[in-house]
Amino acid sequence: MFVNDCLNVNGDGHLTIGGCDTVELAKEYGTPLYVLDENVIRETCRSYVNSFKKFYDGNGMPLYASKALSCKELCRIANEENIGLDVVSGGEIYTALQAGFPMEKVHFHGNNKTADEIKFALESKVGKFVVDNLYELELLNNIAGEMGVTANISFRIKPGVDAHTHNFIRTGQIDSKFGFALETGEAFNAVKEAIKLENVCLKELHCHIGSQIFDIEPFVTAAEIMIDFMGKIKNELGVVISELNLGGGFGIMYTEKDEPVPYENYMEKVSVAVKAKSAEYGIPVPFIYIEPGRSIVGEAGITLYTVGGKKEIPNIRTYVSVDGGMTDNIRYALYQSDYTVVNASKADKTPDEVITVAGKCCESGDLVQEHTKVAEVEVGDTLAVLSTGAYNYSMASNYNRIPRPAMIMVNNGTSRVIIKRESYEDIVKNDI
Ligand SMILES: *Cc1c(COP(=O)(O)O)cnc(C)c1O
């Protein structure tokens, strides 16, 4: 019935997560409320780490793509689970620093890192810069030179793999704002440039073919294309690049239509292809990074709302208004993402009422989900939207000056706040 087994129904007919009654959580902490199940997050981290042990002699490391949900507690958990971190901004670097994250295990991504961010990253001793373009390469080389340090770099490559996903989040093809294209020779030129420079050291090649991908095949193809490129670099330039970063994008379950593959299967298949291809070119088997974001936190999280109104428009639809919306979950408004909605107060009842869940912003497009089935809704019920752990809080805004919700972590029947609810004072704190 639900996306994963951390969700259940108790004797009161209420939805539970991690052994906690969601209706009680809503009462105790208020709504809207983000709830994360710690065990689901840790188990997913472990399955990625173990897949390297099992299929690749431990010669690799997952990096948590922190843009999915960047906060101190997630950085701490990633560190405890022996995984590294991806960041894409000074703010995400700052969060990692504040959490005491080991910065050598941080990769810095982004297609427009500013000079200030680059300086900050070098001062913070970020492990690797994933360089996106030649301007950045030059800027980084100059700043590192001024600071008297060497920056370890990777190049973001567009392998040209189409990963059959939503257009807005597809990034592997030539027409993408990210990275260097292989087909045009742009990537090869960048490598030639990098090896001439004094203050950068090219260690790794990177690709990321998209998001919410359910096939393993495009990942295998991308890995093969990347090793072909490493082979070409060795043959033509005599340079051996020893690390390969294959990005993230592993699909999760939002609704019953989604069929994620077990995350282990990924390294099982990719390792075979990588080993065979490396042998073909006589290059050492590379150290591999992968960058799961959504799959680490997505299914672990739910959002709880309180129903404040219901508007039946005969022969058209029934709007159910909740106390959050596009400010805490922009994904339906942005790209019509599917979600499973559950009436958490009546989770034992058949979901036979078709509703549209509307947010509270002054925006007709502020919908959380349209024409979705839930058990008959009354004002005061707690509604749960499932699989909201990724790209919800991290994309949240203060539109209409709505404070961002709190986030709590549940674990075997206990709960604790990991991000406080914003206050009205927070809302005006930078106003002069
Ligand atoms: C967004 C992103 C990821 C994570 O993608 P998910 O779909 O959340 O797994 C990993 N690497 C890079 C470079 C990204 O841009």
Side-chain angles (χ1 to χ4, degrees):
M1 175 177 182
F2 300 126
V3 291
N4 65 42
D5 13 311
C6 74
L7 299 168
N8 228 315
V9 181
N10 66 14
D12 293 330
H14 295 171
L15 179 73
T16 66
I17 177 168
C20 296
D21 182 319
T22 54
V23 177
E24 293 300 319
L25 293 175
K27 256 189 227 144
E28 184 178 348
Y29 296 100
T31 55
L33 182 68
Y34 296 112
V35 187
L36 286 177
D37 187 319
E38 187 165 2
N39 288 329
V40 176
I41 296 172
R42 289 188 186 270
E43 273 163 29
T44 311
C45 292
R46 283 168 203 170
S47 75
Y48 280 121
V49 171
N50 288 336
S51 73
F52 279 108
K53 288 189 187 142
K54 205 160 150 192
F55 302 111
Y56 204 64
D57 306 314
N59 192 25
M61 180 165 62
L63 307 169
Y64 167 55
S66 71
K67 70 176 194 226
L69 168 55
S70 174
C71 67
K72 289 197 232 171
E73 186 65 358
L74 259 291
C75 293
R76 287 181 208 116
I77 290 176
N79 189 26
E80 283 164 17
E81 297 300 336
N82 297 311
I83 71 180
L85 215 61
D86 269 4
V87 296
V88 283
S89 70
E92 288 182 1
I93 293 173
Y94 187 76
T95 306
L97 280 171
Q98 289 292 305
F101 197 87
M103 298 309 280
E104 71 278 5
K105 290 206 285 186
V106 174
H107 277 55
F108 186 16
H109 284 270
N111 63 309
N112 188 7
K113 303 173 186 78
T114 65
D116 283 346
E117 284 177 319
I118 289 173
K119 256 180 234 148
F120 181 41
L122 286 169
E123 280 160 11
S124 308
K125 302 205 162 43
V126 158
K128 206 166 277 147
F129 290 75
V130 184
V131 173
D132 179 88
N133 56 70
L134 288 179
Y135 303 103
E136 181 189 337
L137 182 66
E138 197 188 324
L139 184 63
L140 175 60
N141 185 62
N142 290 343
I143 297 175
E146 281 161 23
M147 291 173 65
V149 294
T150 302
N152 288 325
I153 66 164
S154 176
F155 275 129
R156 176 151 185 172
I157 308 292
K158 293 184 241 195
V161 174
D162 177 353
H164 299 289
T165 183
H166 198 294
N167 250 330
F168 291 170
I169 45 180
R170 189 171 65 195
T171 53
Q173 73 283 38
I174 287 190
D175 183 10
S176 162
K177 71 169 180 170
F178 298 111
F180 298 91
L182 272 182
E183 295 94 317
T184 57
E186 189 189 12
F188 192 65
N189 278 339
V191 172
K192 284 198 282 192
E193 279 306 309
I195 54 187
K196 284 192 237 152
L197 297 176
E198 278 187 10
N199 310 309
V200 298
C201 179
L202 179 61
K203 296 253 173 165
E204 176 197 295
L205 293 178
H206 170 275
C207 67
H208 171 71
I209 58 170
S211 237
Q212 188 61 354
I213 300 166
F214 294 109
D215 290 341
I216 292 188
E217 223 31 58
F219 288 110
V220 172
T221 308
E224 289 175 341
I225 291 170
M226 294 297 281
I227 303 224
D228 283 338
F229 187 45
M230 290 167 117
K232 178 182 158 86
I233 292 169
K234 185 209 155 198
N235 291 341
E236 296 182 26
L237 304 174
V239 172
V240 174
I241 296 175
S242 58
E243 297 175 3
L244 176 61
N245 188 331
L246 294 169
F250 316 107
I252 68 163
M253 192 170 185
Y254 284 103
T255 69
E256 280 168 355
K257 281 181 267 169
D258 301 323
E259 288 173 47
V261 290
Y263 300 130
E264 290 211 328
N265 295 15
Y266 171 77
M267 270 318 290
E268 184 180 9
K269 295 274 176 2
V270 166
S271 62
V272 174
V274 166
K275 284 177 192 165
K277 272 280 178 187
S278 306
E280 197 181 299
Y281 288 102
I283 53 177
V285 172
F287 187 88
I288 289 186
Y289 295 100
I290 54 170
E291 304 174 319
R294 185 191 314 271
S295 53
I296 288 189
V297 286
E299 285 181 23
I302 65 173
T303 307
L304 301 177
Y305 300 105
T306 302
V307 174
K310 194 171 174 182
K311 200 166 283 176
E312 289 183 45
I313 307 179
N315 305 319
I316 300 189
R317 64 165 110 195
T318 299
Y319 285 100
V320 166
S321 294
V322 295
D323 49 357
M326 66 188 288
T327 43
D328 59 80
N329 183 354
I330 188 86
R331 294 189 67 254
Y332 188 78
L334 199 56
Y335 26 62
Q336 295 77 53
S337 309
D338 281 333
Y339 281 100
T340 302
V341 183
V342 177
N343 186 342
S345 303
K346 302 182 181 89
D348 56 341
K349 300 271 178 359
T350 317
D352 52 9
E353 183 178 27
V354 179
I355 61 163
T356 287
V357 182
K360 61 184 272 129
C361 293
C362 287
E363 196 64 54
S364 302
D366 175 21
L367 305 174
V368 175
Q369 206 59 199
E370 289 181 277
H371 312 300
T372 188
K373 272 190 172 179
V374 297
E376 191 173 351
V377 180
E378 291 170 278
V379 168
D381 282 351
T382 302
L383 276 199
V385 179
L386 311 187
S387 298
T388 59
Y391 305 112
N392 271 234
Y393 174 78
S394 63
M395 290 182 160
S397 75
N398 288 127
Y399 180 48
N400 287 168
R401 296 235 132 173
I402 294 171
R404 287 182 184 79
M407 183 176 290
I408 63 168
M409 187 73 91
V410 295
N411 184 340
N412 296 323
T414 65
S415 60
R416 64 181 195 275
V417 174
I418 62 165
I419 302 175
K420 286 192 276 188
R421 186 177 298 283
E422 280 180 342
S423 64
Y424 291 142
E425 261 167 47
D426 291 331
I427 294 283
V428 296
K429 74 169 182 275
N430 294 319
D431 291 10
I432 307 295

